[in-house]
Amino acid sequence: MSDWPEGRNGGQGERYGRGSASPRPESARAMPHVRRRPAPPQSPPHIPPQQGQGYEDGPGYDSGYNTGQVYGGGQRGGGPGGGGHGGRGGDSGYVQPRAAPNWGRRIKVGVLTLVVVVLAVSVGTYFWADGKLKREVDLSKVIERPGEGDGTNYLVVGSDSREGMTAEDKKKLHTGSAEGKRTDSMMILHDGSNGPTLISLPRDSNVEIPSFVGSESGKKFAGTGRTTKLNAAYAEDGPELLVRTVEFNTGLRIDHYVEIGFGGFANIVDAIGGVEMDIPKAFKDKNSGADFQAGKQTLNGEQSLAFVRTRYAFAGSDLDRTKNQQKFLAALASQTATPSTILNPFKLYPTMGAGLDTLIVDKDMSLWSLGNMFFAMKGVTGGEGTSMNIPLTGGSVNGNLVWDKDKVKQLVEQLKNDEKVTVKGN
């Protein structure tokens, strides 16, 4: 009775007691309480230690040590190169291939970017150029105007203004040093559906000065029937009176006014690298500085100005000069409106800057209208249009050229109705 039954102590003594050989069992004693550490959240179930692993603090102790075995092998995608079985690489060795580049999307993005850049540059250029225009002529001051017709009529004026020119420039360009400014050339450019028509108005044309309102004073001056040279109207009260005089003597309404001075004219030519001209006959003129040989040649700004200003070297004087002016302006427009200039910013911006800095236009002129005028001028020599002097009688009054009123009336009616021009000029 004093000994524990055989087998109850062997192999279990270390678990339930100290293994004492006492003939009596030890009295009941409190077993030391071992607190188990709480398992981490969502940890795998406890696995008893294998042979030789023992507990650190006593029976049933769970140290929480991870032996390296990965549990819960659901398809979580793993990490880079994972085979969809958790962990870092799985056991399959599968590597997901890189997606092929989406060239369609890249091309669309590239095209869209290019379009945005082109639009931004175009808009920026438009506002830059628009800000350079000198809108100084107020056509609302012109009174008793003719009715509007079809197409657009521009009065293109070349003035002998020396504004902004140095003494060296004046000497180089043979402009003299006269104060103020006068018209050196005047042309009507009609842009319509039957092609452009360029009509030169000789500066020595005999015209009547009509009633008008002073551009500065606002005072109305009654017409007295007096006649004078056409360029005297400009000298008397500027562009507004010139427009009023042209409209009164032709009956044709002028929609826009464009004026450029000596300096700006020469600068435009130099900016595009010169203008190629075919001069049929050699001529010289000490007044303008012209000295040209016959044949094809490229004129720089100085030579171009001399070419369009020369009149004393020709038998037809002012009439021959107006023909040369038409010929040159058409060539200038034709050689400027080319891809090599328009698509080359190193030529386009200097050319636009040179022209716009000295260009004077009416207050309603837009860059769009100015561009239309430019391309209409180009079309004159492109086989699309006509160039002529205004019809003359061949007579004179006080040395001034007299217009053929019947032919002028017929010409104006054709322009108003935007018809094919059949009238011949001088």
Side-chain angles (χ1 to χ4, degrees), residues 390-413:
I390 198 162
L392 302 171
T393 62
S396 65
V397 174
N398 298 325
N400 301 331
L401 302 172
V402 180
W403 293 359
D404 187 326
K405 292 184 179 181
D406 291 335
K407 286 186 176 182
V408 169
K409 182 178 180 180
Q410 182 183 0
L411 172 63
V412 169
E413 285 300 314

Side-chain angles (χ1 to χ4, degrees), residues 294-423:
K296 288 187 177 181
Q297 51 204 288
T298 300
L299 309 186
N300 60 25
E302 177 184 349
Q303 293 169 323
S304 298
L305 190 57
F307 180 81
V308 299
R309 294 184 63 225
T310 298
R311 63 172 176 164
Y312 295 111
F314 306 126
S317 187
D318 202 36
L319 292 179
D320 286 340
R321 179 172 71 165
T322 57
K323 293 177 182 178
N324 280 342
Q325 289 171 347
Q326 291 179 347
K327 183 178 179 179
F328 182 86
L329 288 177
L332 174 62
S334 180
Q335 295 174 41
T336 302
T338 61
S340 62
T341 298
I342 296 175
L343 300 179
N344 183 354
F346 298 102
K347 290 186 69 175
L348 176 63
Y349 286 97
T351 301
M352 292 180 66
L356 296 174
D357 280 341
T358 58
L359 206 62
I360 297 174
V361 299
D362 64 272
K363 292 187 176 182
D364 294 327
M365 174 71 83
S366 66
L367 279 178
W368 181 260
S369 295
L370 189 63
N372 287 339
M373 185 205 78
F374 186 78
F375 282 97
M377 187 77 75
K378 177 183 178 181
V380 170
T381 56
E384 304 171 6
T386 303
S387 61
M388 59 188 290
N389 278 319
I390 198 162
L392 302 171
T393 62
S396 65
V397 174
N398 298 325
N400 301 331
L401 302 172
V402 180
W403 293 359
D404 187 326
K405 292 184 179 181
D406 291 335
K407 286 186 176 182
V408 169
K409 182 178 180 180
Q410 182 183 0
L411 172 63
V412 169
E413 285 300 314
Q414 291 177 344
L415 295 177
K416 277 187 174 182
N417 297 324
D418 202 15
E419 299 172 351
K420 183 75 174 178
V421 172
T422 60
V423 177

